Every structure is written in structure tokens, then in C-alpha cells.
Amino acid sequence: MSEAKPRVNGRLSLEFQQNGDQTIMQVKEQLQPLKVVRAFELADGAALVHLHNLSGGVLGGGHLTLTAEVGPGARAQITSTGATRIYRNRAGSLDSYQLNQFEVAEGGLLEFLPDQLIPYAGSRYRQETRVKLGQDAGLFWWEVVAPGREAKPELFEYERLQISLDITAENKPIALERVQLEPAQKDITALVRLGNFRYFASFYICRVGLLPSRWLELEQRLDAIVCQLSRPNEILWGGSTLTAHGLVIRAVSMNSRAITAGLLDFWRCAKLELYGQVAIPPRKVY
């Protein structure tokens, strides 16, 4: 018999506002297990925030909601304190679920740079991310998905993994991503899925209002990094422009280290091209 309510119903709502040359964070709602302690000021005036999950991960059947509003001209960098672990679901429990809702106002910038997502054996997880961008709003958003706990070894033993992403700019969709993997039902090693690779990643780079020619120029610059970092049977990168206001970089890899290093290279290049600034990798706190 299915549970009527989720075992855990955590919520975290953040607001970022520009205050002179700095961005100030305000916690509007905080319900465990989601938690933030404080914001750190970065050299460029952005506010760096670490997301804490006091459960150590997403519990089986748990529902979590993360909301962040970046005000006009504000800059926020959000990261996790470690990998997001998706724990096993009990028989008859609801699917684990996380909803991420981000809104970036005119001239604002959101850098959402979490560590990898690790779905454990027997887990069923659904994640929805919705991003709304205003005029001249910017976004650097990545997601890295692991095959499971490799040390066990426990590869592709999760029951179901669903990930969706909707990005809108000035109330028009510019990117829609849908992923559904059920390893026991459909062969994960098929060429239309992951082939022989284990990890996959997406990296969306956006700034609303730039001309299409700017994105084609940036795509060419990033293509040079694609060629430099891709290695047959180890890691493959690719990139393409969106319908407007951005581009996406994708990767499949045999390990997470190569993806993490590559994402930093793409981020550094794009941040310099789009903002004339050096990307500042988030420092970790535990």
C-alpha cells in the first residue's frame, strides 16, 4: 500500500538582493533537512552559498523543494557541500522527488554548480528544475550524474532516474531537457543512451539579450576545448547553441574527475567571454 505522504518534506527558499557592490542573501524559509548557514562574499561581489542536507542525501520517498530568487543586478553562486546521494526506496514508498525553482531578474547572474548526483541501488528519483531568466540575466548551470556507488560496486542498479529541466528567457522557452533511465527495463549501454560510458553531464550557459552571432563565436571558442578534452573511450564532449540566449555543453565519461575538470575549463572560458571576469570556483565547507 502506497504512503499517502512523503516521509520527508524539506523546503528551502532563498533571496539574493544587490546592496552596493555586494549581494546579500536572505533565507525566506528553511525546513529540514535542507539548510544554509551563511553566505560568503566572493571577490566579484557575488554571494556564495553552500546547500546542506542534514540527512546526508535524499531519503527514499522524501520530497525536497529548493527555491532561489536573484534580484536585479544581484549575483549568486550556489553549490553543494558534497555529492547528492539518492537513497534506496522502500517497497510501496513514494518516489523520491526534488523540485528546484530559480528566477533571475534583470541583470542578475546565477551560477548553480553542485557536486555529482549519485543514485543508489533500489532508488527511484525524480528531479524537476525550472529556471526563469529576465532581460540581461545570466546563468551557469551544470548537472553531473554518476552510475551509482562504484566502490561497492553498484553500477546502474537504481530502479528509475528522471531529470527534467526547463529554462525560459523573457517568458519564452529556450531549453527543455528530459531524461528517464530505467536500467532494468532498457539497456543503459545502448548507443542511444550511454554506450560504454558511466557518467553524463549537461552545462547550460546563458545570458539573455546577446545577438546570435555572439553565441556562434563562443561556440567556436568552446569547440576548441571540446576537441582538446575529448578522448575516445574515455570522455566525449560536445556543444551547440540554443534557440536563443545561450548554449549547452554535454559530456559522457568513464569517470567523474575528467568531467569536473572539463566543466571548469568551459566555465572559465565562457565567464571571461560573456562577463569579462574570471570564474571563481566555489570553496567547500563541511
Side-chain angles (χ1 to χ4, degrees), residues 87-151:
Y87 294 118
R88 178 187 299 271
N89 286 73
R90 296 186 303 178
S93 69
L94 297 173
D95 287 5
S96 304
Y97 173 71
Q98 174 145 353
L99 172 63
N100 301 315
Q101 299 184 106
F102 304 122
E103 186 167 352
V104 187
E106 181 177 357
L109 173 63
L110 171 63
E111 296 174 306
F112 188 68
L113 314 169
D115 290 293
Q116 62 183 303
L117 186 153
I118 307 176
Y120 281 23
S123 63
R124 301 189 308 274
Y125 177 67
R126 182 164 60 95
Q127 176 181 288
E128 295 182 44
T129 300
R130 303 166 189 165
V131 184
K132 294 182 179 180
L133 303 174
Q135 175 61 33
D136 194 36
L139 175 71
F140 294 96
W141 178 97
W142 69 46
E143 181 92 75
V144 180
V145 180
R149 292 182 291 180
E150 287 191 282

Side-chain angles (χ1 to χ4, degrees), residues 14 43 47 49 75 109 127 147 167 198 202 206 212-213 218 227 259:
L14 307 175
V49 176
R75 297 190 171 195
L109 173 63
Q127 176 181 288
I167 303 176
R198 296 179 176 180
S202 296
C206 303
S213 58
L218 180 57
C227 295
I259 285 183

Side-chain angles (χ1 to χ4, degrees), residues 116 150 199 231 235 253-263:
Q116 62 183 303
E150 287 191 282
Y199 292 78
R231 298 184 296 275
I235 184 168
S253 177
M254 292 301 296
N255 63 76
S256 62
R257 294 184 299 277
I259 285 183
T260 300
L263 289 173

Side-chain angles (χ1 to χ4, degrees), residues 63-262:
H63 284 198
L64 305 176
T65 300
L66 169 63
T67 302
E69 299 176 15
V70 181
R75 297 190 171 195
Q77 185 181 109
I78 301 176
T79 188
S80 56
T81 57
T84 299
R85 298 166 177 83
I86 312 300
Y87 294 118
R88 178 187 299 271
N89 286 73
R90 296 186 303 178
S93 69
L94 297 173
D95 287 5
S96 304
Y97 173 71
Q98 174 145 353
L99 172 63
N100 301 315
Q101 299 184 106
F102 304 122
E103 186 167 352
V104 187
E106 181 177 357
L109 173 63
L110 171 63
E111 296 174 306
F112 188 68
L113 314 169
D115 290 293
Q116 62 183 303
L117 186 153
I118 307 176
Y120 281 23
S123 63
R124 301 189 308 274
Y125 177 67
R126 182 164 60 95
Q127 176 181 288
E128 295 182 44
T129 300
R130 303 166 189 165
V131 184
K132 294 182 179 180
L133 303 174
Q135 175 61 33
D136 194 36
L139 175 71
F140 294 96
W141 178 97
W142 69 46
E143 181 92 75
V144 180
V145 180
R149 292 182 291 180
E150 287 191 282
K152 288 285 289 182
E154 189 180 274
L155 302 180
F156 302 114
E157 294 185 12
Y158 52 85
E159 291 187 24
R160 181 166 57 251
L161 177 65
Q162 293 176 279
I163 298 176
S164 69
L165 170 68
D166 293 49
I167 303 176
T168 60
E170 299 179 313
N171 298 315
K172 296 180 180 180
I174 60 172
L176 302 174
E177 181 171 314
R178 301 292 184 269
V179 175
Q180 178 165 320
L181 297 175
E182 297 175 285
Q185 305 298 323
K186 297 181 179 179
D187 183 11
I188 209 81
T189 63
L191 291 179
V192 296
R193 297 182 184 90
L194 293 181
N196 294 323
F197 296 101
R198 296 179 176 180
Y199 292 78
F200 63 94
S202 296
F203 183 22
Y204 284 88
I205 301 167
C206 303
R207 187 170 185 180
V208 179
L210 297 186
L211 294 175
S213 58
R214 286 288 304 279
W215 292 110
L216 292 174
E217 291 172 3
L218 180 57
E219 182 183 24
Q220 291 178 351
R221 285 184 169 83
L222 296 182
D223 275 345
I225 302 177
V226 165
C227 295
Q228 177 186 350
L229 298 182
S230 294
R231 298 184 296 275
N233 302 318
E234 294 183 33
I235 184 168
L236 297 178
W237 293 91
S240 63
T241 56
L242 303 178
T243 56
H245 309 303
L247 54 79
V248 59
I249 301 293
R250 300 191 190 278
V252 288
S253 177
M254 292 301 296
N255 63 76
S256 62
R257 294 184 299 277
I259 285 183
T260 300

